[in-house]
Amino acid sequence: MKKIAVLLSGCGVFDGSEIYETVITLLAIERNGASYQCFAPNKDQFHVIDHHAQQPVSETRNVLTEAARLARGNVKPLHDLKVHEFDALIIPGGFGAAKNFSDFAVKGADAAADQDVVAFCQQFAAAKKPAGYMCIAPSLLPFVYGHGIQLTIGNDNDTAQALEQLGAKHIDCAVSDIVVDEQHRVVTTPAYMLAGSLSEAASGIDKLVAKVLSLATTD
C-alpha cells in the first residue's frame, strides 16, 4: 500500500489549511487504496483570523496544534519525517500555505520561505518522489525546486506574475484539470483558487491525487 505524507499549515481557510481541500484529499487517498500521515510545523501561525468576521484577532495559535483539529489528533511535527517510509507528498491549500510556510501572501515576489518547511519538502524532491500541491500551496514550489518549476494556481494574473518573478513557470489551468511537471514529478491544481463549490474543488483534487499515486508506482 502506498503511503502519502500530507503537509498541513493549520486549520481554516484564512490562516491555515483549507478544510474542504484537506478532507477531499484524504478521502481521495483512501479511495485510491493508499494511506496517509499528516505533518505540520511546530510554530506559531502568522496570525489568527476570526473566520466569522473574517478579521484578524489578538490571539496566538500553534500550527501543529491547529492542524491536529483537522487531522483528528493524528499529526506529527516535521522532524518526525522518515522520507523512506513514504511514496509521495501532497500539500492542500488555504492561506496558511502562503502565510505559515512562507510570507508569499503578504510579500508576493519578495517572499521568503520557512526553511524547515522547505527542507521537509526537499527530502521528497531529493528522493525523486512525486508531490502534489494545490490552491495557493504551489507558491512554495520555487523555494523547493528552484527556477523553472512548472505549476498552476489557476489563472490569476497578478499571482502568476509574482510566482514567475520567483522563478516558476506558470501555466493557466481550469479548476477541473491538473498541471504536471514531468521533470520534477510535481502535480498542481487550482482547487479553491477557482472552485465555487466542493464538487468543483474535488474535480481537480481527485485528478491530482490519482496522478501523484500513479507517479509513485513507477518508483
Side-chain angles (χ1 to χ4, degrees):
M1 177 185 286
K2 297 294 177 182
K3 188 172 184 180
I4 311 301
V6 177
L7 181 60
L8 302 178
S9 60
C11 180
V13 58
F14 299 122
D15 56 12
S17 288
E18 215 291 326
I19 294 172
Y20 293 168
E21 289 180 3
T22 303
V23 174
I24 292 168
T25 296
L26 301 183
L27 180 60
I29 290 171
E30 286 194 357
R31 284 181 168 171
N32 279 275
S35 65
Y36 59 83
Q37 173 63 56
C38 295
F39 292 87
N42 187 3
K43 59 180 281 189
D44 288 343
Q45 294 180 184
F46 172 75
H47 62 185
V48 178
I49 299 292
D50 176 334
H51 279 61
H52 184 250
Q54 298 189 19
Q55 294 292 329
V57 294
S58 299
E59 189 177 327
T60 300
R61 295 191 184 188
N62 178 276
V63 175
L64 180 66
T65 301
E66 290 300 295
R69 293 177 179 268
L70 190 47
R72 296 174 63 89
N74 186 17
V75 61
K76 296 182 177 182
L78 301 183
H79 60 71
D80 277 8
L81 174 70
K82 296 179 176 62
V83 72
H84 67 272
E85 296 180 352
F86 294 90
D87 298 287
L89 167 68
I90 296 180
I91 307 181
F95 279 107
K99 292 177 178 178
N100 302 328
F101 293 163
S102 76
D103 53 9
F104 182 82
V106 293
K107 293 189 176 179
D110 295 320
D114 182 303
Q115 290 307 299
D116 290 336
V117 173
V118 170
F120 179 93
C121 298
Q122 284 181 335
Q123 292 185 63
F124 290 89
K128 300 189 184 305
K129 296 187 176 186
Y133 291 63
M134 65 191 69
C135 191
I136 196 61
S139 61
L140 190 61
L141 284 168
F143 302 101
V144 176
Y145 292 89
H147 284 251
I149 181 71
Q150 296 182 26
L151 57 82
T152 191
I153 46 81
N155 58 19
D156 183 82
N157 188 59
D158 290 344
T159 306
Q161 285 187 0
L163 287 169
E164 293 202 333
Q165 289 180 57
L166 285 168
K169 180 179 179 182
H170 183 265
I171 299 172
D172 283 355
C173 179
V175 67
S176 60
D177 208 352
I178 58 175
V179 167
V180 182
D181 183 315
E182 298 286 356
Q183 177 184 348
H184 297 98
R185 308 183 77 197
V186 171
V187 187
T188 53
T189 193
Y192 270 101
M193 290 294 287
L194 291 179
S197 66
L198 277 165
S199 57
E200 282 191 354
S203 65
I205 294 171
D206 286 345
K207 287 181 181 178
L208 179 146
V209 171
K211 182 62 176 179
V212 168
L213 286 168
S214 73
L215 291 173
T217 62
T218 65
D219 288 348

